[in-house]
């Protein structure tokens, strides 16, 4: 297993936080702190913040992502945003299938797959989230569930398109709870994701796919989590809203 075969990506997921003005201010604060990053740096922001975020990040090493994308190209889908709209706005990445979307907005493995295909077809990099609930973990279903979610999300995704896919393992019980998975649990979960990819695309391809860990990753625990062979980066919620904390995590991703 060779970690150097894949890109380290630290991505913030701001969720429903920051107005456009506040987003621009936070990015201005972050820019000098992450300028010498040895990994890719991405901030996934609320849709309304995208123009301000893209403008603020211009000329820096920060790339902007969205937090969701619709699976149709256009049409009567009130409130939704299509992939080419994101592309035209300067977005490069998009979070898909976050557990909050699955839990509160009826996202299913099938719609996660459709959104992933729409993102990839538009040239976006998809950050696809998978993760088990505490109940599923306690019942012993973690491996089965992670493999199932990963394979479902990647249905009809070609090996070529897979180059633009990042999978984020986010145990639901660790999101926003302050309860972080241990580094070994994160490594194991990410390993299950990679094994699922290997079952479909082969081991060689699986070793090139970036698999992030997300769930209460912070300035204090990032280095240990990111030291694990299967942890290629992080998807960070709360700590990505603080410039200093986020920059510590970015530095911890130096390979
Ligand atoms: P926290 O880092 O706030 O736990 O959120 C993780 C997450 O959901 C990132 O997508």
């Amino acid at each position: 297993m060779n970690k150097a075969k894949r890109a380290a990506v630290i991505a913030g997921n701001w969720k429903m936080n920051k107005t456009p003005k506040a987003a621009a201010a936070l990015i201005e604060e972050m820019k000098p702190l992450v300028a010498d990053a040895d990994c890719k740096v991405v901030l996934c922001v609320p849709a309304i913040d995208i123009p301000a975020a893209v403008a603020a990040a211009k000329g820096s090493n920060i790339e902007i992502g969205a937090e969701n994308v619709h699976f149709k190209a256009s049409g009567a889908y009130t409130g939704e945003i299509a992939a080419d709209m994101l592309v035209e706005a300067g977005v490069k990445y998009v979070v898909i299938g976050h557990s909050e979307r699955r839990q509160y907005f009826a996202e299913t493995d099938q719609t996660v797959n459709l959104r992933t295909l729409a993102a990839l077809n538009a040239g976006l990099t998809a950050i696809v989230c998978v993760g088990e609930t505490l109940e599923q973990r306690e019942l012993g279903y973690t491996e089965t569930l992670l493999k199932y979610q990963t394979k479902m999300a990647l249905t009809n995704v070609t090996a070529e398109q897979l180059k633009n896919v990042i999978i984020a393992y986010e145990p639901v019980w660790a999101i926003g709870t302050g309860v972080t998975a241990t580094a070994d649990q994160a490594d194991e979960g990410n390993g299950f994701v990679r094994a699922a990819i290997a079952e479909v695309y082969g081991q060689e391809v699986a070793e090139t796919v970036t698999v992030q860990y997300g769930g209460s990753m912070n300035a204090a625990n990032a280095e240990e989590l990111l030291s694990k062979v299967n942890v290629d980066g992080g998807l960070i919620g709360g700590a990505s809203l603080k410039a200093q904390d986020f920059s510590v995590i970015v530095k911890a991703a130096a390979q």
Side-chain angles (χ1 to χ4, degrees):
M1 191 74 72
N2 183 356
K3 234 179 152 173
K5 284 186 186 168
R6 41 198 187 255
V9 182
I10 296 294
N13 172 13
W14 284 2
K15 309 191 179 182
M16 196 173 72
N17 293 290
K18 302 292 173 189
T19 64
K21 270 188 196 159
L26 182 52
I27 291 170
E28 290 299 343
E29 197 184 342
M30 282 179 174
K31 278 199 290 193
L33 299 176
V34 302
D36 59 354
D38 199 17
C39 63
K40 294 194 181 185
V41 183
V42 180
L43 292 172
C44 299
V45 305
I48 194 79
D49 292 355
I50 287 169
V54 168
K58 199 167 182 221
S60 79
N61 59 331
I62 297 175
E63 294 185 285
I64 300 303
E67 298 180 10
N68 194 16
V69 61
H70 193 61
F71 38 85
K72 294 283 184 163
S74 64
Y77 302 100
T78 302
E80 292 293 323
I81 296 175
D84 68 348
M85 298 173 187
L86 296 176
V87 170
E88 196 172 309
V91 163
K92 305 278 188 232
Y93 293 76
V94 59
V95 176
I96 295 173
H98 192 279
S99 65
E100 287 149 16
R101 301 264 355 143
R102 294 178 191 257
Q103 187 178 348
Y104 304 132
F105 302 101
E107 195 77 67
T108 65
D109 288 312
Q110 195 191 7
T111 56
V112 169
N113 173 236
L114 294 175
R115 289 179 205 273
T116 301
L117 290 169
L120 294 173
N121 288 333
L124 293 165
T125 294
I127 302 178
V128 179
C129 302
V130 298
E132 82 288 0
T133 63
L134 188 57
E135 187 187 19
Q136 288 162 338
R137 172 167 282 268
E138 285 173 352
L139 287 168
Y141 295 152
T142 301
E143 178 175 0
T144 309
L145 198 276
L146 291 180
K147 286 187 165 179
Y148 179 79
Q149 285 186 342
T150 302
K151 289 180 185 178
M152 285 292 284
L154 297 178
T155 305
N156 295 326
V157 172
T158 66
E160 188 58 29
Q161 287 177 313
L162 194 65
K163 290 177 182 160
N164 291 324
V165 173
I166 293 170
I167 307 282
Y169 167 50
E170 297 207 314
V172 178
W173 47 271
I175 294 175
T177 57
V179 181
T180 316
T182 64
D184 285 339
Q185 284 172 325
D187 196 44
E188 183 185 50
N190 283 26
F192 292 149
V193 168
R194 201 178 308 286
I197 297 170
E199 284 167 20
V200 180
Y201 299 91
Q203 185 64 29
E204 211 167 304
V205 171
E207 292 207 12
T208 64
V209 177
T210 296
V211 184
Q212 298 174 319
Y213 167 78
S216 299
M217 189 186 272
N218 58 39
N221 61 27
E223 194 171 345
E224 194 189 349
L225 288 162
L226 291 164
S227 73
K228 291 293 176 180
V229 69
N230 273 310
V231 182
D232 308 315
L235 186 56
I236 295 110
S240 73
L241 295 165
K242 298 176 196 148
Q244 195 66 44
D245 290 24
F246 187 65
S247 73
V248 171
I249 299 172
V250 165
K251 286 189 179 76
Q255 284 182 321

